Amino acid sequence: MQFEDMVSISAGPSQLIAALCDEIGLEDIINRSLTWEPTYCKVSPGTHVKAMIINILCSRMPLYRIAVFYATQDTVQLFGVGCEAAVFNDDALGRTLDRLFEAQSWKVYSELSLAVLRTLGLPLDRLHADTTSFSLQGDRVCCKSTKGKPQPSGKLIHAESRDYVYYLLSLLTIVRSVNSIRNRRAMHL
């Protein structure tokens, strides 16, 4: 091989993310959960989902540009032999997302969450998540004043949804998972 024939490939965090996906068995869970025909697909839906997760966490390119993102990545190292950037086109990824929707994505997410808990060895009896989210709307109402003290009028003044909490919890879960895996691996060294 000549020096001119060498190609520079940026690894970045993609290798770590791929290893974490492999550790929880993401591809196998996705492939078991979705209806698909292996003879008609170049890569499995699990590989497509793994590719979208890596893209979201590394570059956040839109769906139609994911193939461009993987043109600069070592796809053989990330996904195995025979997997090239062209298999991550927006049509193929869109079909995988359709299959994920048909398989009721919340069920797939639940199975993946349990796989993470099992992999990290976290006890299920100590976990709690408040999944309620209220969205209230109302006008600002001035308070009535009685003897110089403001009194609430009994009408809704202002409230917001707590949806942002779920994003923070997801981020915390990822950070805690990475730290736990890192600590576990350090103990084995």
Side-chain angles (χ1 to χ4, degrees):
M1 176 180 267
Q2 297 297 325
F3 183 73
E4 295 81 25
D5 298 331
M6 291 185 173
V7 177
S8 174
I9 297 174
S10 171
S14 61
Q15 302 294 328
L16 173 64
I17 297 165
L20 292 173
C21 290
D22 293 342
E23 188 169 346
I24 65 167
L26 179 123
E27 290 183 69
D28 293 333
I29 292 170
I30 297 291
N31 292 339
R32 281 194 318 265
S33 300
L34 304 187
T35 305
W36 64 290
E37 182 57 47
T39 56
Y40 296 128
C41 300
K42 292 181 181 176
V43 296
S44 70
T47 304
H48 281 150
V49 170
K50 180 179 172 182
M52 287 186 275
I53 290 171
I54 292 170
N55 175 61
I56 287 170
L57 295 174
C58 292
S59 75
R60 298 194 59 84
M61 283 194 164
L63 199 61
Y64 72 94
R65 303 232 341 125
I66 290 180
V68 174
F69 168 74
Y70 283 109
T72 62
Q73 297 288 317
D74 187 358
T75 55
V76 173
Q77 180 69 31
L78 292 172
F79 307 107
V81 178
C83 195
E84 54 192 41
V87 300
F88 302 115
N89 62 65
D90 58 337
D91 292 331
L93 297 174
R95 284 190 296 273
T96 295
L97 290 174
D98 288 341
R99 288 184 187 110
L100 187 60
F101 177 78
E102 291 167 359
Q104 297 179 334
S105 55
W106 64 271
K107 287 182 179 179
V108 179
Y109 180 76
S110 296
E111 191 172 345
L112 286 170
S113 299
L114 288 173
V116 170
L117 294 174
R118 269 188 244 112
T119 302
L120 297 176
L122 297 176
L124 292 174
D125 60 340
R126 295 193 180 145
L127 296 176
H128 172 73
D130 183 4
T131 59
T132 57
S133 178
F134 297 100
S135 178
L136 305 171
Q137 297 178 356
D139 295 330
R140 289 195 175 269
V141 179
C142 294
C143 300
K144 297 177 185 176
S145 181
T146 314
K147 296 181 186 176
K149 294 181 182 178
Q151 297 292 321
S153 65
K155 293 185 179 178
L156 177 66
I157 295 176
H158 183 74
E160 291 183 16
S161 174
R162 297 183 306 169
D163 287 340
Y164 67 91
V165 172
Y166 302 116
Y167 298 115
L168 293 175
L169 285 174
S170 297
L171 179 61
L172 262 173
T173 302
I174 291 170
V175 170
R176 290 177 77 183
S177 298
V178 169
N179 285 335
S180 176
I181 290 170
R182 188 181 323 146
N183 292 339
R184 226 175 52 217
R185 287 188 177 153
M187 289 188 311
H188 288 92
L189 293 179

